[in-house]
Structure formats: structure tokens, C-alpha cells
Amino acid sequence: MLAELQSLSDQAQTEISAAGDAAALEAVRVKYFGRQGSLAQMGEGMKAVSKEERPAVGKKLNEVRQNLTALLEDRAGQFTAERESAALSGVDLSLPGTFAVPTGGLHPLTQLLDRTVQIFRRMGFALADGPDIDDEWHCFDALNTPADHPARNEQDTFYLPDGRLLRTHTSTVQIRTMETQPPPVRIIAPGAAYRRDEVDATHLAQFNQLEGLYVDANVSLADLKGTLEFFFRELFGSGTAVRFRPHFFPFTEPSFEIDVKSVAIKNGAWIEVAGCGMVDPAVFEAVGTRRKDAAYDPETVTGFAFGFGLDRLAMILTGLPDVRMLVENDVRLLAQFH
Ligand code: DAH
């Protein structure tokens, strides 16, 4: 029986090496390992083997099984490898793909902010920053906003229990910048602002503003107009008309609202885009109370300031009808602006 096993093993090995493909190999496997296969028959044959011989024959049968199983797996592995490399031959991995991989893109607000920062950078404005949670001094008092101003009302502003608040505008950064650095100051400060507004198509409780401030000796209204006209023409196109309409802000005097008009936006109607003005001397005086020097003496420096809503500008530029669309993050909408 040992000799029989050996010749079965030799025969199987020959057939495994000779198998030309996976199907042929499977036939060999069934022939030896199948339920009616040669190895099963050998197992049956064990019954007839004498007690003395049985351990040796059993051991040999196991060895043959293990050995053949390993050979079958090896050969099958070879077929798989050949199939894979055949599938890859003729594929040039250095060629560009035939379908586009989705890559995502910048949110329209981020795109607008990047453009805005670029335009002001060209005019020498640096980026400045301040906290979203601020105090009444930076948000109101230092900005010449009296105690009875509606913006200070609890119904309009988010107050924290300790008396601090979520800034209602980025104008806070004007004060923080002047408190910490001497003139000349030429900054823009983009960031979030918060108001207790009912959320609707044109209002969000958290929105985005951009504040600007330029303070130096002899900064004039002509500088203000030139800077902002340039900015809005860069943004909306060189054919854009820019108008400064007298207005009131506590922290500037005189103050203006800026309207723009272009055939490309809202059928050429005037549309309000920003507030601005010459820094009120009272603001410089307030800053002076927090500084150890007289760097912001209103007799020696002048300045202009401006502020606008980035969400509003983004809506005008993209034609979006509802400001909430800017925060819903619906990919079907955002993908249109990549
Ligand atoms: N802070 C104003 C607002 O939230 C915007 C603004 C208007 C900022 C005039 C200014 C300015 O710096 O001069 O509506």
C-alpha cells in the first residue's frame, strides 16, 4: 500500500505540473481529492491494512495529502498571477485616466474672500484679526456708540452671562488694532459677526463681514473714495459705477453708504454694498485712553474705515436668491461654483 501511495503521489504531481489552465487543474484536484477521488479510495483501503502497518500507511497518506494540497495551491497561484499580469499588459499606467476623479473645490464665500484679500493686498492692506467673543468696549463704547443705541439692545445682540458678547460687527478689530500698534495702520479684517436676527432669505444670525481701516497723517476722503472705487471696480468689473451716499455711522464722520451699478448685476440697478466714512475723532480719543502714548492724537492723524457683508457680496456675484444657501452646504449647489 505504501508503494501504491507513492506512485499515486508521483502521478498526481506530474498531472498538476502538466495542467495548462485553472480548469485543467480543477479536474486534477477533483480526480484526487473529490469524494470519489483516488485519495478517498485510499482512505477506504486503509480498512484492509493490518494493525501493524496501519500507522505507517496512515502517516504516508497524510503526507501525500498535504504535499499535493500545497502543490495544487501553488499552481493555482501561478494561474492567478498570470491572469493579472495579462490583464495589465497593454495598460500604460502613465496615461491620464479616462474618467474625472471628483476633487471638490472652494466654497463661493472662500473664493470671494480670497479675491478680496488679493485686491486689498495690492493696495498695501495687511490682514488683521480679533476674537468673535468681545466686550462692549470694543464693540460699542470705543466706537462712539452710545448706551441707548439700538445695536446694544438685548433683543439685537447675543450677550454672555458675564457681560461679554458675540461681536455684532468686525469694527471691533479697528479698536483692537489701534490699541496694539501705532500708525500708520492699513488693515482689513474679515470674520464672523452675530446678530439676533430672524433667519430668512437675507439674514443669518451668524454672517461674514470684512472691515477696513487706514490711519496715517493726512488720510483724506479722496483716499477713501479712490481705494473703495478701485476695489469695487476690480470686483464687479471696470464698467461699474460707484456712488457714495451720505449716511450715519457713530464711528465715522462724515459717513457714507456705497452703492454700485453695473449692467452685469441686478439689471443695472443701484445696489448697496458697504458702509464707510472718515474715522470720528471720538474713536481716536477712546483708543488714546487705552494707550500709553499719544500716537492716535486726532490732531495729528486721520483715517478712513469701511465695512461690508461678504455673504451679501457673494449673493450679488453669484445670483443666489437666498443667503441660507451659502450655509446649507448642498454639494449640488456648491459644485456649480468650482
Ligand atoms: N460696522 C458696520 C455694520 O456692521 C459697517 C461699517 C460701516 C463699518 C461704516 C465701518 C464703517 O468701518 O466705516 O453695518
Side-chain angles (χ1 to χ4, degrees):
M1 180 125 182
L2 283 174
E4 244 178 284
L5 269 171
Q6 187 54 53
S7 81
L8 177 142
S9 175
D10 293 346
Q11 175 65 22
Q13 287 188 34
T14 316
E15 289 176 29
I16 290 170
S17 344
D21 58 24
L25 187 67
E26 175 62 8
V28 176
R29 191 190 65 78
V30 171
K31 175 172 171 194
Y32 289 93
F33 283 87
R35 222 186 297 177
Q36 316 288 339
S38 316
L39 284 165
Q41 280 166 24
M42 283 289 177
E44 284 292 306
M46 284 284 286
K47 290 178 188 155
V49 175
S50 71
K51 244 197 182 120
E52 295 73 39
E53 272 185 302
R54 203 170 279 173
V57 175
K59 187 167 173 248
K60 179 73 180 167
L61 181 59
N62 262 339
E63 277 172 16
V64 171
R65 262 205 200 101
Q66 281 170 10
N67 185 26
L68 292 181
T69 305
L71 288 172
L72 279 166
E73 279 171 10
D74 269 11
R75 191 82 180 115
Q78 284 171 15
F79 289 138
T80 312
E82 278 168 20
R83 221 181 22 245
E84 281 170 2
S85 63
L88 279 177
S89 78
V91 174
D92 183 348
L93 293 176
S94 67
L95 286 174
T98 50
F99 65 94
V101 180
T103 53
L106 294 177
H107 190 281
L109 267 175
T110 309
Q111 295 179 33
L112 169 64
L113 179 58
D114 288 352
R115 276 184 70 197
T116 300
V117 170
Q118 254 175 37
I119 299 169
F120 280 111
R121 277 242 169 92
R122 280 157 59 196
M123 294 189 281
F125 284 79
L127 274 169
D129 205 1
D132 290 25
I133 298 176
D134 214 324
D135 49 34
E136 289 197 274
W137 167 259
H138 291 97
C139 200
F140 301 125
D141 300 286
L143 286 160
N144 196 33
T145 305
D148 60 355
H149 193 281
R152 301 182 74 138
N153 194 303
E154 274 184 33
Q155 310 310 315
D156 295 313
T157 302
F158 295 102
Y159 285 93
L160 276 68
D162 64 8
R164 290 181 303 160
L165 47 81
L166 297 182
R167 64 181 179 191
T168 60
H169 52 184
T170 45
S171 305
T172 52
V173 185
Q174 288 188 30
I175 306 301
R176 289 191 167 275
T177 305
M178 289 191 280
E179 282 175 352
T180 52
Q181 67 186 71
V185 159
R186 209 181 320 183
I187 52 131
I188 48 170
Y194 306 83
R195 286 180 203 170
R196 286 179 65 163
D197 279 332
E198 202 66 56
V199 172
D200 62 22
T202 51
H203 295 87
L204 293 172
Q206 176 186 339
F207 52 104
N208 299 282
Q209 285 194 330
L210 186 136
E211 188 78 15
L213 176 70
Y214 179 20
V215 180
D216 202 350
N218 300 318
V219 175
S220 72
L221 188 51
D223 297 322
L224 162 63
K225 290 187 72 176
T227 302
L228 291 170
E229 274 176 13
F230 177 79
F231 169 69
F232 284 111
R233 292 213 174 104
E234 284 295 296
L235 197 63
F236 288 112
S238 54
T240 307
V242 181
R243 163 171 98 176
F244 294 79
R245 183 165 37 80
H247 195 75
F248 173 79
F249 295 106
F251 33 87
T252 44
E253 177 61 31
S255 306
F256 306 90
E257 279 194 327
I258 305 177
D259 303 329
V260 297
K261 182 173 130 115
S262 148
V263 281
I265 47 175
K266 300 242 161 137
N267 299 320
W270 283 108
I271 132 161
E272 181 198 318
V273 285
C276 66
M278 300 305 292
V279 178
D280 193 301
V283 172
F284 290 137
E285 273 159 21
V287 166
T289 66
R290 294 272 174 120
R291 287 186 63 96
K292 295 194 172 60
D293 59 19
Y296 287 92
D297 180 351
E299 298 299 323
T300 55
V301 293
T302 50
F304 69 73
F306 55 91
F308 50 78
L310 285 164
D311 314 78
R312 189 177 152 72
L313 284 189
M315 283 171 74
I316 296 169
L317 283 162
T318 58
L320 282 184
D322 191 321
V323 69
R324 288 168 291 197
M325 291 173 160
L326 288 174
V327 290
E328 282 165 353
N329 280 339
D330 186 330
V331 195
R332 291 168 301 179
L333 179 107
L334 297 180
Q336 297 174 44
F337 300 105
H338 289 172

